[in-house]
mmCIF file of all heavy atoms in Angstrom:
data_model
loop_
_atom_site.group_PDB
_atom_site.id
_atom_site.type_symbol
_atom_site.label_atom_id
_atom_site.label_comp_id
_atom_site.label_asym_id
_atom_site.label_seq_id
_atom_site.Cartn_x
_atom_site.Cartn_y
_atom_site.Cartn_z
ATOM 1 N N GLU A 1 184.538 133.853 151.307
ATOM 2 C CA GLU A 1 183.829 134.453 152.444
ATOM 3 C C GLU A 1 182.421 134.882 152.051
ATOM 4 O O GLU A 1 181.457 134.677 152.792
ATOM 5 C CB GLU A 1 184.615 135.643 152.989
ATOM 6 C CG GLU A 1 185.941 135.262 153.634
ATOM 7 C CD GLU A 1 186.613 136.447 154.290
ATOM 8 O OE1 GLU A 1 185.921 137.207 154.989
ATOM 9 O OE2 GLU A 1 187.827 136.610 154.096
ATOM 10 N N PHE A 2 182.305 135.475 150.861
ATOM 11 C CA PHE A 2 180.980 135.910 150.399
ATOM 12 C C PHE A 2 180.103 134.713 150.033
ATOM 13 O O PHE A 2 178.895 134.722 150.289
ATOM 14 C CB PHE A 2 181.109 136.864 149.218
ATOM 15 C CG PHE A 2 181.601 138.237 149.603
ATOM 16 C CD1 PHE A 2 182.800 138.714 149.112
ATOM 17 C CD2 PHE A 2 180.873 139.038 150.466
ATOM 18 C CE1 PHE A 2 183.266 139.977 149.470
ATOM 19 C CE2 PHE A 2 181.325 140.299 150.836
ATOM 20 C CZ PHE A 2 182.527 140.769 150.331
ATOM 21 N N ARG A 3 180.696 133.684 149.461
ATOM 22 C CA ARG A 3 179.904 132.496 149.119
ATOM 23 C C ARG A 3 179.405 131.799 150.381
ATOM 24 O O ARG A 3 178.287 131.265 150.409
ATOM 25 C CB ARG A 3 180.736 131.538 148.257
ATOM 26 C CG ARG A 3 181.080 132.106 146.895
ATOM 27 C CD ARG A 3 181.452 131.065 145.885
ATOM 28 N NE ARG A 3 182.065 131.671 144.710
ATOM 29 C CZ ARG A 3 181.405 132.338 143.765
ATOM 30 N NH1 ARG A 3 180.096 132.469 143.869
ATOM 31 N NH2 ARG A 3 182.043 132.876 142.737
ATOM 32 N N GLU A 4 180.204 131.801 151.415
ATOM 33 C CA GLU A 4 179.763 131.224 152.685
ATOM 34 C C GLU A 4 178.573 131.991 153.256
ATOM 35 O O GLU A 4 177.652 131.401 153.828
ATOM 36 C CB GLU A 4 180.918 131.204 153.680
ATOM 37 C CG GLU A 4 181.959 130.135 153.389
ATOM 38 C CD GLU A 4 183.095 130.160 154.379
ATOM 39 O OE1 GLU A 4 183.043 130.957 155.338
ATOM 40 O OE2 GLU A 4 184.059 129.384 154.197
ATOM 41 N N LEU A 5 178.576 133.308 153.070
ATOM 42 C CA LEU A 5 177.443 134.104 153.539
ATOM 43 C C LEU A 5 176.151 133.680 152.848
ATOM 44 O O LEU A 5 175.079 133.658 153.469
ATOM 45 C CB LEU A 5 177.691 135.595 153.295
ATOM 46 C CG LEU A 5 178.698 136.314 154.192
ATOM 47 C CD1 LEU A 5 178.747 137.794 153.821
ATOM 48 C CD2 LEU A 5 178.353 136.157 155.668
ATOM 49 N N THR A 6 176.237 133.351 151.546
ATOM 50 C CA THR A 6 175.033 132.942 150.816
ATOM 51 C C THR A 6 174.469 131.642 151.378
ATOM 52 O O THR A 6 173.260 131.381 151.271
ATOM 53 C CB THR A 6 175.302 132.767 149.310
ATOM 54 O OG1 THR A 6 176.214 131.669 149.106
ATOM 55 C CG2 THR A 6 175.892 134.028 148.700
ATOM 56 N N GLU A 7 175.324 130.805 151.980
ATOM 57 C CA GLU A 7 174.866 129.541 152.547
ATOM 58 C C GLU A 7 174.153 129.748 153.887
ATOM 59 O O GLU A 7 173.201 129.036 154.200
ATOM 60 C CB GLU A 7 176.054 128.591 152.734
ATOM 61 C CG GLU A 7 176.716 128.187 151.414
ATOM 62 C CD GLU A 7 177.944 127.331 151.636
ATOM 63 O OE1 GLU A 7 178.175 126.915 152.796
ATOM 64 O OE2 GLU A 7 178.667 127.075 150.661
ATOM 65 N N PHE A 8 174.612 130.716 154.648
ATOM 66 C CA PHE A 8 174.049 130.951 155.973
ATOM 67 C C PHE A 8 172.894 131.953 155.967
ATOM 68 O O PHE A 8 172.051 131.942 156.862
ATOM 69 C CB PHE A 8 175.132 131.440 156.929
ATOM 70 C CG PHE A 8 176.114 130.371 157.322
ATOM 71 C CD1 PHE A 8 177.372 130.323 156.754
ATOM 72 C CD2 PHE A 8 175.766 129.394 158.249
ATOM 73 C CE1 PHE A 8 178.280 129.338 157.109
ATOM 74 C CE2 PHE A 8 176.662 128.401 158.612
ATOM 75 C CZ PHE A 8 177.921 128.366 158.041
ATOM 76 N N TYR A 9 172.863 132.834 154.962
ATOM 77 C CA TYR A 9 171.849 133.890 154.920
ATOM 78 C C TYR A 9 171.138 133.841 153.564
ATOM 79 O O TYR A 9 171.638 134.367 152.558
ATOM 80 C CB TYR A 9 172.494 135.259 155.148
ATOM 81 C CG TYR A 9 173.254 135.331 156.452
ATOM 82 C CD1 TYR A 9 174.631 135.142 156.483
ATOM 83 C CD2 TYR A 9 172.590 135.572 157.655
ATOM 84 C CE1 TYR A 9 175.337 135.187 157.678
ATOM 85 C CE2 TYR A 9 173.282 135.623 158.857
ATOM 86 C CZ TYR A 9 174.653 135.425 158.861
ATOM 87 O OH TYR A 9 175.343 135.469 160.051
ATOM 88 N N PRO A 10 169.956 133.228 153.506
ATOM 89 C CA PRO A 10 169.234 133.054 152.232
ATOM 90 C C PRO A 10 168.867 134.373 151.550
ATOM 91 O O PRO A 10 168.611 134.381 150.343
ATOM 92 C CB PRO A 10 167.971 132.293 152.655
ATOM 93 C CG PRO A 10 168.306 131.669 153.967
ATOM 94 C CD PRO A 10 169.260 132.597 154.631
ATOM 95 N N ASN A 11 168.826 135.472 152.305
ATOM 96 C CA ASN A 11 168.459 136.766 151.717
ATOM 97 C C ASN A 11 169.627 137.432 151.006
ATOM 98 O O ASN A 11 169.457 138.491 150.381
ATOM 99 C CB ASN A 11 167.925 137.712 152.787
ATOM 100 C CG ASN A 11 168.904 137.940 153.930
ATOM 101 O OD1 ASN A 11 169.511 136.995 154.436
ATOM 102 N ND2 ASN A 11 169.042 139.191 154.352
ATOM 103 N N PHE A 12 170.829 136.817 151.067
ATOM 104 C CA PHE A 12 172.010 137.403 150.439
ATOM 105 C C PHE A 12 172.385 136.633 149.180
ATOM 106 O O PHE A 12 172.526 135.413 149.193
ATOM 107 C CB PHE A 12 173.190 137.397 151.411
ATOM 108 C CG PHE A 12 174.484 137.888 150.816
ATOM 109 C CD1 PHE A 12 174.601 139.198 150.367
ATOM 110 C CD2 PHE A 12 175.582 137.052 150.690
ATOM 111 C CE1 PHE A 12 175.789 139.661 149.804
ATOM 112 C CE2 PHE A 12 176.776 137.498 150.144
ATOM 113 C CZ PHE A 12 176.878 138.812 149.702
ATOM 114 N N LYS A 13 172.556 137.375 148.063
ATOM 115 C CA LYS A 13 172.955 136.791 146.780
ATOM 116 C C LYS A 13 174.251 137.446 146.317
ATOM 117 O O LYS A 13 174.424 138.656 146.446
ATOM 118 C CB LYS A 13 171.869 136.999 145.715
ATOM 119 C CG LYS A 13 170.469 136.561 146.145
ATOM 120 C CD LYS A 13 170.388 135.083 146.424
ATOM 121 C CE LYS A 13 168.961 134.675 146.827
ATOM 122 N NZ LYS A 13 168.884 133.248 147.212
ATOM 123 N N PHE A 14 175.145 136.632 145.748
ATOM 124 C CA PHE A 14 176.479 137.112 145.363
ATOM 125 C C PHE A 14 176.812 136.669 143.942
ATOM 126 O O PHE A 14 176.643 135.505 143.594
ATOM 127 C CB PHE A 14 177.509 136.554 146.351
ATOM 128 C CG PHE A 14 178.945 136.769 145.947
ATOM 129 C CD1 PHE A 14 179.404 138.027 145.576
ATOM 130 C CD2 PHE A 14 179.845 135.715 145.967
ATOM 131 C CE1 PHE A 14 180.730 138.224 145.217
ATOM 132 C CE2 PHE A 14 181.182 135.896 145.623
ATOM 133 C CZ PHE A 14 181.616 137.153 145.249
ATOM 134 N N ARG A 15 177.292 137.624 143.139
ATOM 135 C CA ARG A 15 177.746 137.329 141.786
ATOM 136 C C ARG A 15 179.132 137.939 141.587
ATOM 137 O O ARG A 15 179.300 139.153 141.668
ATOM 138 C CB ARG A 15 176.788 137.916 140.742
ATOM 139 C CG ARG A 15 175.382 137.352 140.777
ATOM 140 C CD ARG A 15 175.325 135.938 140.213
ATOM 141 N NE ARG A 15 173.945 135.481 140.147
ATOM 142 C CZ ARG A 15 173.285 134.902 141.149
ATOM 143 N NH1 ARG A 15 173.883 134.713 142.307
ATOM 144 N NH2 ARG A 15 172.039 134.512 141.006
ATOM 145 N N LEU A 16 180.121 137.083 141.315
ATOM 146 C CA LEU A 16 181.458 137.545 140.950
ATOM 147 C C LEU A 16 181.546 137.530 139.432
ATOM 148 O O LEU A 16 181.203 136.526 138.791
ATOM 149 C CB LEU A 16 182.521 136.617 141.547
ATOM 150 C CG LEU A 16 183.967 136.974 141.212
ATOM 151 C CD1 LEU A 16 184.379 138.272 141.897
ATOM 152 C CD2 LEU A 16 184.910 135.831 141.629
ATOM 153 N N VAL A 17 181.996 138.646 138.853
ATOM 154 C CA VAL A 17 182.037 138.786 137.399
ATOM 155 C C VAL A 17 183.472 139.081 136.963
ATOM 156 O O VAL A 17 184.089 140.043 137.435
ATOM 157 C CB VAL A 17 181.115 139.933 136.927
ATOM 158 C CG1 VAL A 17 181.063 139.978 135.408
ATOM 159 C CG2 VAL A 17 179.714 139.772 137.508
ATOM 160 N N LEU A 18 184.028 138.249 136.075
ATOM 161 C CA LEU A 18 185.378 138.478 135.547
ATOM 162 C C LEU A 18 185.289 139.067 134.144
ATOM 163 O O LEU A 18 184.606 138.525 133.275
ATOM 164 C CB LEU A 18 186.167 137.170 135.500
ATOM 165 C CG LEU A 18 186.480 136.482 136.834
ATOM 166 C CD1 LEU A 18 187.381 135.270 136.603
ATOM 167 C CD2 LEU A 18 187.135 137.448 137.810
ATOM 168 N N SER A 19 185.982 140.171 133.913
ATOM 169 C CA SER A 19 185.955 140.798 132.589
ATOM 170 C C SER A 19 186.908 140.107 131.609
ATOM 171 O O SER A 19 186.715 140.172 130.399
ATOM 172 C CB SER A 19 186.303 142.285 132.691
ATOM 173 O OG SER A 19 187.591 142.466 133.239
ATOM 174 N N LYS A 20 187.929 139.418 132.142
ATOM 175 C CA LYS A 20 188.872 138.677 131.297
ATOM 176 C C LYS A 20 189.054 137.275 131.886
ATOM 177 O O LYS A 20 190.116 136.937 132.420
ATOM 178 C CB LYS A 20 190.198 139.418 131.203
ATOM 179 C CG LYS A 20 190.066 140.790 130.529
ATOM 180 C CD LYS A 20 191.398 141.481 130.357
ATOM 181 C CE LYS A 20 191.211 142.818 129.641
ATOM 182 N NZ LYS A 20 192.486 143.525 129.437
ATOM 183 N N PRO A 21 188.015 136.465 131.783
ATOM 184 C CA PRO A 21 188.038 135.146 132.434
ATOM 185 C C PRO A 21 188.931 134.159 131.688
ATOM 186 O O PRO A 21 189.212 134.336 130.498
ATOM 187 C CB PRO A 21 186.577 134.713 132.360
ATOM 188 C CG PRO A 21 186.066 135.364 131.116
ATOM 189 C CD PRO A 21 186.758 136.698 131.049
ATOM 190 N N PRO A 22 189.357 133.098 132.381
ATOM 191 C CA PRO A 22 190.109 132.044 131.695
ATOM 192 C C PRO A 22 189.186 131.234 130.796
ATOM 193 O O PRO A 22 187.957 131.334 130.888
ATOM 194 C CB PRO A 22 190.631 131.191 132.857
ATOM 195 C CG PRO A 22 189.649 131.410 133.956
ATOM 196 C CD PRO A 22 189.192 132.836 133.810
ATOM 197 N N GLU A 23 189.773 130.436 129.952
ATOM 198 C CA GLU A 23 188.984 129.588 129.057
ATOM 199 C C GLU A 23 188.130 128.628 129.874
ATOM 200 O O GLU A 23 188.563 128.104 130.905
ATOM 201 C CB GLU A 23 189.933 128.808 128.137
ATOM 202 C CG GLU A 23 189.228 128.098 126.995
ATOM 203 C CD GLU A 23 190.196 127.443 126.031
ATOM 204 O OE1 GLU A 23 191.401 127.676 126.161
ATOM 205 O OE2 GLU A 23 189.727 126.694 125.157
ATOM 206 N N LYS A 24 186.903 128.435 129.452
ATOM 207 C CA LYS A 24 185.936 127.548 130.098
ATOM 208 C C LYS A 24 185.560 128.018 131.508
ATOM 209 O O LYS A 24 185.189 127.223 132.358
ATOM 210 C CB LYS A 24 186.469 126.109 130.138
ATOM 211 C CG LYS A 24 186.680 125.504 128.754
ATOM 212 C CD LYS A 24 187.178 124.078 128.840
ATOM 213 C CE LYS A 24 187.395 123.490 127.449
ATOM 214 N NZ LYS A 24 187.906 122.098 127.515
ATOM 215 N N TRP A 25 185.628 129.325 131.740
ATOM 216 C CA TRP A 25 185.177 129.890 133.011
ATOM 217 C C TRP A 25 183.674 129.649 133.141
ATOM 218 O O TRP A 25 182.892 130.070 132.284
ATOM 219 C CB TRP A 25 185.498 131.381 133.040
ATOM 220 C CG TRP A 25 184.948 132.161 134.196
ATOM 221 C CD1 TRP A 25 183.941 133.085 134.161
ATOM 222 C CD2 TRP A 25 185.393 132.119 135.559
ATOM 223 N NE1 TRP A 25 183.725 133.612 135.407
ATOM 224 C CE2 TRP A 25 184.603 133.050 136.285
ATOM 225 C CE3 TRP A 25 186.372 131.395 136.238
ATOM 226 C CZ2 TRP A 25 184.767 133.251 137.656
ATOM 227 C CZ3 TRP A 25 186.540 131.602 137.604
ATOM 228 C CH2 TRP A 25 185.741 132.528 138.304
ATOM 229 N N PRO A 26 183.212 128.973 134.202
ATOM 230 C CA PRO A 26 181.804 128.557 134.275
ATOM 231 C C PRO A 26 180.852 129.620 134.822
ATOM 232 O O PRO A 26 179.636 129.453 134.736
ATOM 233 C CB PRO A 26 181.852 127.356 135.222
ATOM 234 C CG PRO A 26 182.984 127.687 136.149
ATOM 235 C CD PRO A 26 184.006 128.423 135.321
ATOM 236 N N LEU A 27 181.401 130.699 135.398
ATOM 237 C CA LEU A 27 180.549 131.684 136.057
ATOM 238 C C LEU A 27 180.408 132.939 135.215
ATOM 239 O O LEU A 27 180.756 132.964 134.043
ATOM 240 C CB LEU A 27 181.126 131.988 137.444
ATOM 241 C CG LEU A 27 181.318 130.758 138.350
ATOM 242 C CD1 LEU A 27 181.958 131.156 139.666
ATOM 243 C CD2 LEU A 27 179.992 130.043 138.583
ATOM 244 N N ALA A 28 179.894 134.012 135.815
ATOM 245 C CA ALA A 28 179.604 135.230 135.068
ATOM 246 C C ALA A 28 180.874 135.876 134.522
ATOM 247 O O ALA A 28 181.913 135.908 135.196
ATOM 248 C CB ALA A 28 178.867 136.223 135.965
ATOM 249 N N SER A 29 180.789 136.387 133.312
ATOM 250 C CA SER A 29 181.923 137.071 132.689
ATOM 251 C C SER A 29 181.425 138.295 131.937
ATOM 252 O O SER A 29 180.242 138.419 131.635
ATOM 253 C CB SER A 29 182.671 136.131 131.746
ATOM 254 O OG SER A 29 181.818 135.691 130.698
ATOM 255 N N GLY A 30 182.351 139.212 131.660
ATOM 256 C CA GLY A 30 181.997 140.464 130.996
ATOM 257 C C GLY A 30 182.099 141.610 131.979
ATOM 258 O O GLY A 30 182.916 141.584 132.908
ATOM 259 N N HIS A 31 181.288 142.626 131.787
ATOM 260 C CA HIS A 31 181.297 143.779 132.689
ATOM 261 C C HIS A 31 180.203 143.618 133.747
ATOM 262 O O HIS A 31 179.116 143.114 133.461
ATOM 263 C CB HIS A 31 181.083 145.070 131.901
ATOM 264 C CG HIS A 31 182.208 145.363 130.960
ATOM 265 N ND1 HIS A 31 183.462 145.752 131.379
ATOM 266 C CD2 HIS A 31 182.272 145.323 129.603
ATOM 267 C CE1 HIS A 31 184.253 145.929 130.346
ATOM 268 N NE2 HIS A 31 183.552 145.675 129.244
ATOM 269 N N VAL A 32 180.517 144.070 134.944
ATOM 270 C CA VAL A 32 179.567 143.912 136.038
ATOM 271 C C VAL A 32 178.249 144.634 135.738
ATOM 272 O O VAL A 32 177.172 144.180 136.137
ATOM 273 C CB VAL A 32 180.206 144.403 137.359
ATOM 274 C CG1 VAL A 32 180.384 145.904 137.363
ATOM 275 C CG2 VAL A 32 179.414 143.945 138.561
ATOM 276 N N THR A 33 178.320 145.718 134.982
ATOM 277 C CA THR A 33 177.095 146.459 134.636
ATOM 278 C C THR A 33 176.186 145.669 133.700
ATOM 279 O O THR A 33 174.966 145.852 133.713
ATOM 280 C CB THR A 33 177.449 147.809 133.995
ATOM 281 O OG1 THR A 33 178.466 147.614 133.003
ATOM 282 C CG2 THR A 33 177.982 148.784 135.039
ATOM 283 N N ASP A 34 176.770 144.769 132.894
ATOM 284 C CA ASP A 34 175.939 143.934 132.019
ATOM 285 C C ASP A 34 175.050 143.015 132.842
ATOM 286 O O ASP A 34 173.906 142.732 132.469
ATOM 287 C CB ASP A 34 176.830 143.100 131.092
ATOM 288 C CG ASP A 34 177.602 143.956 130.103
ATOM 289 O OD1 ASP A 34 177.108 145.054 129.780
ATOM 290 O OD2 ASP A 34 178.687 143.537 129.679
ATOM 291 N N GLU A 35 175.570 142.536 133.966
ATOM 292 C CA GLU A 35 174.796 141.663 134.842
ATOM 293 C C GLU A 35 173.672 142.441 135.539
ATOM 294 O O GLU A 35 172.556 141.949 135.684
ATOM 295 C CB GLU A 35 175.717 141.034 135.889
ATOM 296 C CG GLU A 35 176.763 140.091 135.316
ATOM 297 C CD GLU A 35 176.155 138.812 134.772
ATOM 298 O OE1 GLU A 35 175.253 138.266 135.434
ATOM 299 O OE2 GLU A 35 176.584 138.370 133.691
#
């Protein structure tokens, strides 16, 4: 739902951060505060 918002509203940016991601996780990982 949030990713769809980024497609329709260019002023909105979304980052999902996993602190314990699976192996070869391609997106942001660690603590959200690090980002």
Side-chain angles (χ1 to χ4, degrees):
E1 293 186 45
F2 287 117
R3 294 200 193 285
E4 286 179 4
L5 286 183
T6 65
E7 296 176 9
F8 288 103
Y9 303 98
N11 57 315
F12 176 63
K13 309 297 181 185
F14 170 51
R15 297 286 185 274
L16 179 69
V17 186
L18 296 185
S19 60
K20 297 184 178 181
E23 191 175 351
K24 297 181 180 179
W25 172 251
L27 304 177
S29 61
H31 295 290
V32 70
T33 46
D34 294 333
E35 295 291 318

